[in-house]
Amino acid sequence: MTMRRNMTRRSDHRGRVAATTGAILVVLTCAAAAPAVEDAVYRVPDQALVDIIDTPKTPRLNIGPTREWGVLISRPGYPSIAELAEPELKLAGLRIKPDSFSPSRVWPNNRLEFVRIDDLESRPVTGLPDSPRITNVRWAPGGARVAFTNTTARGVELWVADVQTGRARPLTGPIVSLTAGEAPAWLDDGETLICCLVSADRSDAAALEAPRVPAGPIIQENIGTKTPARTYQDLLKNPHDEVLFELYLTSQLALVELDGTVTAVGPPAITWDFDPSPDGRYILVQSLHRPYSYTVPSHRFPLLIEVWDLEGEVVHTVADHPLREQIPIARGSAQTGPRSVVWRADAPATLCWAEALDGGDAGAEAAERDRLFLLPAPFDGEPTAWMTFELRYDGVYWGHDGLAIAGEWWWDDRRIRTWKIQPGAPEIPPELLMDYSWEDKYNDPGAPVTVRNEYGRSVLLTADDANTIFLIGDGASPEGNRPFLDAFDTYHKETNRLFRSEAPYYERPVLVMNKEARRIITRRESVDEIPNYFMRDLVDGTLRQLTFFPHPTPQLKGIQKELIRYKREDGLDLTATLYTPAGYDPEADGPLPMLMWAYPREFKSADAAGQVDDSPYRFDWVGWWSPVLWLTQGYAALDGPTMPIIGEGDAEPNDSYVEQLVSSAAAAVDEVVGRGVADRHRIAIGGHSYGAFMAANLLAHSDFFAAGLARTGAYNRTLTPFGFQSEDRSLWEAPEVYFEMSPFMHADKIEEPILLVHGAEDSNPGTFPMQSERFYSALKGHGATVRLVMLPYESHSYRARESLLHLLWETQQWLDEYVKNAPEPGSTGMTE
């Protein structure tokens, strides 16, 4: 069903066309009139918007394993476009800085400060180099020090900082490899680290260029085997890419002592993952090998899983998986053979893994899906078949021999079940603890609280003879989210609520200080109070502030925020967060132009879709992504109006995507107009990624909005033929759904002005930059008012300061011209 309302279009739009050269900016525009040339430079928006972008970033607190000390980790502002323009390799789904053998898309930290929890004594970490680029901060077992990496122009160094002195020092030169993303890890002694070192000759790597004349064609072949794959970015493309992949991913595993001694462990390999055993005697090593693939990323390449001793000798081979191109696309599908291989966190050296019993195909009928296995050191016996799951295995929270919590899930009915199991007695049947839908936020029991054990591993925090665990959850409710801390007796299946957030604050427990749960550390905030950490005594009710972070955007203090509720045409309950400027009164001031920013979600249950999953008391972090920014420019904002797409029973949500989307948007527009806050003819719709897809669809299938903002979206679903978002069916199984949902196929219906923005180096599966480029061409071909902005070097999200300011400038110009200053219906839009 299509719902359209009559709106008068502006006919006097004067088109603008811009083009750029080099790596500065690519801007494409179109109009009915001849294009005018703009300066090919980054633009800057209103100063109020610049000030928000340049707001200093708030530190985060990482509390140590003994809970005596924490480390405040600070990061600098947004990087420059020059930093993003540095050389980058795109190999098999990875993005690498070749000069430093590290990931290229990270946001490093630049300052560390130790803070004692009891008296708030502060010890800034000294000895750091100028302008450090700190990542991978890791507490040692025992909490005496932290390790971290520092990226320089010559490579990545491994550093350590001592809590007692606050002094930091390097343990290695720029020889650490982070290309696979694996951070250095502590052994149980708290004095030895394990990490990957660069094994390639840097001069050879720098000189390795692609041949100008190919040796032959690039050939791929498939002989009768079904190998469906979702749409991935940055895949290997040719034999030269394979050579580069091996050169930059091959590393040498090594032990590093606190005195700087480095000892190689085993031969160089494409180390994909490593994890020392809790007792520090073994290393679980996962490495990639040939043959590689041009259709799936590196995490699907052949994978060898072994256990090494500290001398690098292989003591046990867990599995050697072939190339994993054949995993079905149905959600819940998995590889065959051992997967999710981990150490049992509460034992010295015991392996645990799952194996599929249904061939790994979630689309196949099966009474049993997975089985869990245990194998203790010295790994020379047969693994113990521990537990069989009817659904797909979802991991284990370890506690002790008599208690672990295992989870399973299933996509089709959004089901989660958790079980109490006894690792020390695998012959004892599991006990069902919880069975619920993850869509049902009101009945979400929360996640178990963990604590560091003597090995430095996270295990369940238990009390009452180790039968009671603790759970922290969001506490969704009809009045909004109210985070909680519960004690759950796993023996009697009884829950005791220890804490629940109270209005007008949003207060979430983050750490339980002891097994009696008398004291907890919370993160407390309100509409006008930035989140800070507090120590709360649950016995005497006292509250002590631990951090004192300042308000990052004082210019937005006093804004009015309201969680509003309204109904869709079919009676479904919907919610949104309404923002208006400080002191605004709709009766006295009249309706405002509005930006509505949304992201649709799929549900299998209408009851769950109507639940409230937000809080009116949360502090709003306002950055380039937030519609609240535009309150500084005289707009109202409606953030997160729920756009549920429901498919109950055998129906799939997307079978009626357009109808439900338009109905939800109509309800939101009617609500804000009925409140006198928004002018029906001056509302813009916007979104990012799947929200951009939504915005384009609403412009194609309704007349509710004066203009649209679509950032980094996908618009033609035939370019993602093996599924997208929550759609499991392929294009050939549901062609009418793919066609109807694609705004590209309805480009001729879009009459409202739309601003398309896309990162030119988008790495997100499915949202190739060409999605926006081709959508722009389709709209232009039908005479639409459209502007396409391609941001150089930006990925799915945007990072460079110049990019962000230009994005806001483009948005400001678009909103002011087509929303704030839109003519009244029936007018010509001309003034005398």
Side-chain angles (χ1 to χ4, degrees):
M1 181 177 70
T2 301
M3 301 175 65
R4 301 186 64 87
R5 299 183 180 181
N6 293 326
M7 292 183 65
T8 302
R9 310 286 176 213
R10 288 195 74 173
S11 60
D12 61 337
H13 168 59
R14 192 174 78 185
R16 293 166 293 179
V17 173
T20 68
T21 59
I24 300 179
L25 183 66
V26 180
V27 179
L28 301 175
T29 65
C30 82
V37 178
E38 296 173 350
D39 292 334
V41 296
Y42 285 106
R43 300 300 186 95
V44 177
D46 184 85
Q47 188 60 43
L49 301 175
V50 176
D51 291 342
I52 291 175
I53 293 298
D54 290 339
T55 297
K57 307 306 172 188
T58 299
R60 66 184 187 277
L61 179 63
N62 183 342
I63 299 174
T66 66
R67 293 163 165 73
E68 181 183 1
W69 288 87
V71 59
L72 283 171
I73 305 172
S74 302
R75 63 174 48 176
Y78 293 107
S80 70
I81 193 66
E83 181 176 324
L84 267 64
E86 292 174 357
E88 178 183 63
L89 291 175
K90 304 172 186 175
L91 300 170
L94 304 175
R95 294 194 167 184
I96 298 167
K97 292 184 70 172
D99 295 340
S100 60
F101 284 73
S102 64
S104 59
R105 301 275 168 167
V106 296
W107 194 348
N109 307 293
N110 64 346
R111 188 175 184 273
L112 302 176
E113 180 181 356
F114 292 119
V115 177
R116 186 154 55 195
I117 302 300
D118 280 347
D119 60 7
L120 302 186
E121 178 187 337
S122 174
R123 294 179 185 171
V125 173
T126 60
L128 295 172
D130 294 336
S131 303
R133 297 175 60 83
I134 299 169
T135 55
N136 303 310
V137 179
R138 300 288 187 272
W139 281 97
R145 56 188 64 89
V146 297
F148 56 92
T149 53
N150 177 52
T151 303
T152 72
R154 298 185 302 120
V156 179
E157 306 164 333
L158 178 60
W159 284 64
V160 67
D162 186 80
V163 172
Q164 292 304 315
T165 65
R167 183 73 181 175
R169 57 189 175 87
L171 296 182
T172 72
I175 60 174
V176 176
S177 174
L178 297 178
T179 49
E182 280 305 299
W186 288 98
L187 268 58
D188 66 313
D189 61 6
E191 297 184 352
T192 308
L193 288 140
I194 183 169
C195 63
C196 288
L197 304 182
V198 174
S199 63
D201 187 307
R202 293 175 187 268
S203 60
D204 290 346
L208 192 61
E209 296 183 359
R212 294 182 60 85
V213 179
I218 298 169
I219 299 173
Q220 300 183 62
E221 183 179 35
N222 184 69
I223 303 177
T225 302
K226 289 186 177 181
T227 55
R230 291 184 181 260
T231 310
Y232 297 108
Q233 307 272 53
D234 301 339
L235 299 176
L236 298 181
K237 299 179 181 65
N238 52 53
H240 179 69
D241 280 355
E242 296 185 45
V243 172
L244 289 175
F245 178 78
E246 289 189 335
L247 189 148
Y248 282 98
L249 269 292
T250 300
S251 62
Q252 173 64 62
L253 207 60
L255 299 176
V256 181
E257 309 292 336
L258 291 180
D259 63 1
T261 300
V262 177
T263 305
V265 178
I270 302 179
T271 306
W272 188 246
D273 191 16
F274 61 87
D275 186 18
S277 61
D279 65 1
R281 295 178 57 201
Y282 304 98
I283 310 169
L284 180 61
V285 181
Q286 304 188 37
S287 57
L288 304 179
H289 61 81
R290 288 179 179 269
Y292 306 138
S293 171
Y294 292 2
T295 59
V296 295
S298 49
H299 68 261
R300 302 274 288 272
F301 287 1
L303 181 69
L304 176 62
I305 307 174
E306 299 174 315
V307 177
W308 296 2
D309 62 22
L310 296 188
E311 284 70 48
E313 296 295 324
V314 177
V315 298
H316 179 68
T317 298
V318 181
D320 190 358
H321 293 296
L323 181 64
R324 289 159 290 165
E325 288 184 331
Q326 301 177 29
I327 298 174
I329 62 172
R331 291 180 184 273
S333 296
Q335 67 183 62
T336 56
R339 74 175 198 280
S340 302
V341 185
V342 297
W343 294 110
R344 186 180 149 186
D346 59 342
T350 296
L351 291 171
C352 175
W353 68 83
E355 294 190 27
L357 303 178
D358 59 358
D361 186 357
E365 295 292 331
E368 298 175 338
R369 296 289 177 180
D370 277 337
R371 183 166 293 144
L372 209 57
F373 293 86
L374 291 174
L375 182 62
F379 320 108
D380 52 3
E382 289 297 317
T384 299
W386 182 16
M387 179 180 178
T388 300
F389 296 92
E390 295 179 8
L391 312 180
R392 190 65 77 208
Y393 168 68
D394 195 34
V396 175
Y397 285 93
W398 304 99
H400 49 79
D401 272 350
L403 178 64
I405 307 296
E408 59 179 340
W409 68 281
W410 198 243
W411 173 257
D412 287 349
D413 56 5
R414 312 311 197 251
R415 189 178 184 187
I416 292 179
R417 296 199 298 185
T418 57
W419 300 84
K420 177 183 177 180
I421 49 181
Q422 300 188 38
E427 71 279 3
I428 296 179
E431 297 179 45
L432 181 64
L433 295 180
M434 301 167 188
D435 188 348
Y436 61 100
S437 166
W438 72 70
E439 288 185 345
D440 183 6
K441 299 296 185 182
Y442 290 177
N443 291 299
D444 188 332
V449 175
T450 60
V451 64
R452 296 282 182 176
N453 64 7
E454 66 271 26
Y455 302 122
R457 301 301 180 103
S458 293
V459 296
L460 292 167
L461 176 65
T462 60
D464 301 328
D465 297 324
N467 284 317
T468 294
I469 64 173
F470 299 91
L471 303 169
I472 294 175
D474 291 334
S477 70
E479 64 266 27
N481 288 358
R482 296 178 60 189
F484 63 82
L485 171 68
D486 284 350
F488 179 72
D489 185 335
T490 64
Y491 185 79
H492 296 98
K493 315 293 192 302
E494 295 177 349
T495 299
N496 178 29
R497 180 139 296 175
L498 305 177
F499 170 80
R500 190 183 189 193
S501 180
E502 298 287 346
Y505 290 96
Y506 179 90
E507 186 173 0
R508 182 178 179 84
V510 295
L511 193 68
V512 180
M513 295 298 289
N514 50 45
K515 66 180 182 179
E516 293 80 19
R518 170 173 175 159
R519 293 191 306 159
I520 61 174
I521 292 179
T522 67
R523 196 166 180 260
R524 191 171 192 247
E525 61 192 275
S526 71
V527 173
D528 280 326
E529 296 179 29
I530 187 173
N532 270 290
Y533 292 90
F534 289 78
M535 180 74 73
R536 178 176 284 279
D537 192 308
L538 297 182
V539 176
D540 62 23
T542 57
L543 190 66
R544 179 168 63 91
Q545 190 165 348
L546 302 179
T547 60
F548 299 85
F549 304 138
H551 196 299
T553 50
Q555 61 270 50
L556 290 173
K557 274 190 173 182
I559 62 172
Q560 299 175 92
K561 174 181 180 180
E562 182 183 359
L563 182 64
I564 63 173
R565 297 169 173 82
Y566 51 99
K567 287 185 180 293
R568 201 163 72 175
E569 185 180 24
D570 58 5
L572 185 70
D573 291 324
L574 303 179
T575 61
T577 305
L578 175 64
Y579 296 89
T580 53
Y584 168 74
D585 181 349
E587 292 188 4
D589 302 324
L592 298 173
M594 171 175 280
L595 173 59
M596 191 179 294
W597 197 263
Y599 192 96
R601 287 184 56 202
E602 298 85 356
F603 292 87
K604 290 298 291 181
S605 163
D607 288 341
Q611 291 182 352
V612 179
D613 187 21
D614 199 355
S615 169
Y617 305 116
R618 298 208 68 172
F619 180 83
D620 289 293
W621 297 98
V622 180
W624 63 269
W625 63 88
S626 174
V628 181
L629 272 173
W630 301 103
L631 268 65
T632 66
Q633 305 301 305
Y635 293 83
L638 192 71
D639 193 19
T642 47
M643 302 278 181
I645 311 298
I646 305 165
E648 293 189 300
D650 293 334
E652 292 295 332
N654 287 337
D655 291 344
S656 55
Y657 171 86
V658 170
E659 178 181 355
Q660 294 191 63
L661 184 71
V662 171
S663 182
S664 295
V669 170
D670 287 344
E671 178 66 20
V672 294
V673 171
R675 286 171 170 260
V677 173
D679 180 342
R680 184 179 296 277
H681 307 291
R682 294 192 299 161
I683 302 176
I685 183 66
H688 188 99
S689 191
Y690 206 54
F693 175 76
M694 169 213 69
N697 263 307
L698 286 173
L699 295 188
H701 298 288
S702 77
D703 274 338
F704 306 147
F705 303 103
L709 305 173
R711 298 176 184 169
T712 310
Y715 309 101
N716 183 353
R717 285 305 168 193
T718 69
L719 298 178
T720 55
F722 285 105
F724 58 90
Q725 202 71 6
S726 295
E727 179 58 67
D728 275 349
R729 295 169 295 183
S730 74
L731 168 65
W732 298 273
E733 294 172 301
E736 67 287 345
V737 171
Y738 276 67
F739 184 94
E740 183 64 20
M741 289 183 66
S742 296
F744 179 87
M745 306 301 181
H746 305 280
D748 59 322
K749 301 175 184 176
I750 295 179
E751 301 171 350
E752 300 86 358
I754 182 169
L755 173 63
L756 304 174
V757 180
H758 212 117
E761 306 296 334
D762 190 355
S763 63
N764 185 59
T767 54
F768 291 104
M770 71 175 179
Q771 286 272 9
S772 288
E773 293 167 341
R774 292 185 177 180
F775 190 39
Y776 165 79
S777 295
L779 291 167
K780 178 180 179 180
H782 286 92
T785 297
V786 58
R787 183 174 175 93
L788 171 63
V789 180
M790 302 296 292
L791 298 173
Y793 303 115
E794 296 292 354
S795 187
H796 193 62
S797 186
Y798 318 137
R799 293 199 309 149
R801 181 177 183 272
E802 293 90 339
S803 300
L804 301 180
L805 293 180
H806 188 90
L807 168 71
L808 297 185
W809 179 83
E810 292 278 359
T811 306
Q812 184 178 9
Q813 303 303 308
W814 203 257
L815 290 177
D816 284 355
E817 181 168 359
Y818 297 112
V819 181
K820 180 184 288 187
N821 298 311
E824 290 297 321
S827 74
T828 64
M830 301 176 62
T831 58
E832 295 182 1

